[in-house]
Amino acid sequence: MIQISRTGIRNLASNDTVYARGLQYYKENRIVSATYSNAAKQYRMVVKGNYNYSVTVDEQEDGSFDYNCNCPSRLKDQGACKHVVAALLFILKYQERTLMSESKSPEERKVMQVIDYFLAQEDTIMVGETFQLDVTINIPTILKKDTGRAFISLHGGSNRKYKIQTIKKFLSNIYYNENFAIGKEFRFIHGESTFDKTSQAVLDYLLELYEIQEIIDSTHFSKIFSKSEVTITKNMLIKLLDTLHGSSFSLALYGKAYSNVHFLRENPKIS
């Protein structure tokens, strides 16, 4: 059995934000498959982010373990990524439930339930204000296979939305856990402020683009971020639309503006 605890997992994470995101992934049941090889003493899991990432956790004889994830952040950050955090929390919960099921007497099970309750309180994260991102997609011309481009712009805030004038700086602030303010009312405090579920999904999508740019020579991606817009290809647009599935966004299509647009991979219902 792996010697693991919530505090240990938090300490393994590359930073508190990564731990919080991994905890969120775990609570959202982002682990889509999990297997254990008794012969190899290895857990293998698939964690769903914007893409499916493979996490392996190898159990050592002394109870320690090694882990690996095939996401891009492993090339840059020291410590466990959010996918590994989610996987380790999954293993921890599995081991706790196994231990509880092996408890023989009702008294022992009651004690384990009480311990499990108080351990779960460690997962509670104090958060401040929750913000939203409003997405605008601009498709000026027909998207051909190789040459067509679409453009993303963002407004962010809570009651009042502010246009994000420099998206790359905005993503950099979030990526490096920095506090920032846009306008008078959009004040993001690292470790306290959050984004709603849909906005966080969009943010994860954009942060992956930013992360790849930071890992690879930025000159290769100099045309992606241009002040208040992100330039994307047809395939990148489809990925974004899948991320926005079920949520509204604004669309500028061939020079005409549309609001409250929804993307569906099905025939629309006509009444």
Side-chain angles (χ1 to χ4, degrees):
M1 181 177 289
I2 290 176
Q3 300 299 316
I4 193 172
S5 67
R6 285 171 176 78
T7 301
I9 296 172
R10 186 187 293 270
N11 291 337
L12 281 175
S14 56
N15 56 59
D16 288 342
T17 299
V18 169
Y19 176 80
R21 289 179 182 168
L23 176 60
Q24 182 181 4
Y25 271 28
Y26 167 72
K27 289 184 174 181
E28 292 176 352
N29 299 315
R30 297 286 194 101
I31 298 175
V32 295
S33 71
T35 59
Y36 178 73
S37 170
N38 192 48
K41 301 296 182 184
Q42 183 185 75
Y43 290 91
R44 298 183 66 88
M45 278 162 276
V46 175
V47 183
K48 183 179 180 181
N50 284 329
Y51 300 91
N52 286 342
Y53 292 108
S54 297
V55 175
T56 57
V57 179
D58 294 290
E59 181 180 350
Q60 307 300 321
E61 291 184 0
D62 61 357
S64 63
F65 58 91
D66 298 319
Y67 59 82
N68 185 55
C69 179
N70 66 346
C71 73
S73 65
R74 77 188 191 282
L75 302 175
K76 179 177 176 62
D77 296 333
Q78 297 293 326
C81 65
K82 59 190 175 185
H83 312 103
V84 170
V85 169
L88 292 176
L89 288 169
F90 179 90
I91 293 172
L92 175 62
K93 191 64 176 180
Y94 170 76
Q95 292 187 162
E96 289 175 349
R97 288 176 177 173
T98 301
L99 183 61
M100 185 180 297
S101 66
E102 292 174 351
S103 299
K104 296 180 180 180
S105 69
E107 291 78 10
E108 287 178 324
R109 293 193 179 188
K110 185 66 175 179
V111 170
M112 290 302 301
Q113 288 173 351
V114 172
I115 292 174
D116 185 62
Y117 170 80
F118 283 105
L119 286 174
Q121 305 312 303
E122 296 181 15
D123 291 344
T124 303
I125 300 176
M126 298 301 292
V127 296
E129 190 170 3
T130 299
F131 296 107
Q132 300 85 40
L133 292 177
D134 290 344
V135 178
T136 298
I137 299 173
N138 179 17
I139 306 175
T141 59
I142 295 176
L143 291 177
K144 297 182 180 179
K145 184 175 181 180
D146 297 321
T147 60
R149 295 291 184 268
F151 305 91
I152 307 168
S153 59
L154 300 173
H155 286 74
S158 181
N159 296 323
R160 179 180 178 183
K161 304 294 175 57
Y162 298 88
K163 184 172 184 178
I164 298 176
Q165 298 289 351
T166 309
I167 292 182
K168 187 176 180 181
K169 176 61 177 174
F170 168 72
L171 295 174
S172 175
N173 287 333
I174 294 175
Y175 188 83
Y176 290 106
N177 308 318
E178 297 175 355
N179 301 337
F180 62 87
I182 300 177
K184 294 182 179 180
E185 299 179 18
F186 187 5
R187 297 181 179 275
F188 187 90
I189 301 174
H190 166 64
E192 296 183 12
S193 304
T194 58
F195 289 92
D196 65 23
K197 185 176 180 180
T198 300
S199 299
Q200 186 62 56
V202 172
L203 199 53
D204 287 343
Y205 167 88
L206 294 172
L207 283 171
E208 288 210 17
L209 296 180
Y210 179 84
E211 191 171 48
I212 293 171
Q213 176 189 261
E214 291 296 290
I215 293 170
I216 303 174
D217 185 352
S218 61
T219 58
H220 289 79
F221 288 84
S222 60
K223 294 182 179 180
I224 290 183
F225 297 100
S226 177
K227 292 188 177 180
S228 63
E229 289 186 327
V230 181
T231 305
I232 57 175
T233 63
K234 179 180 178 180
N235 288 336
M236 294 163 71
L237 173 61
I238 293 173
K239 182 69 179 178
L240 174 61
L241 291 173
D242 283 334
T243 301
L244 287 167
H245 182 76
S247 300
S248 64
F249 58 94
S250 298
L251 175 66
L253 183 64
Y254 309 151
K256 293 185 178 181
Y258 304 89
S259 60
N260 198 30
V261 178
H262 291 76
F263 172 72
L264 300 174
R265 281 188 175 272
E266 58 190 44
N267 293 327
K269 295 180 180 179
I270 301 176
S271 56

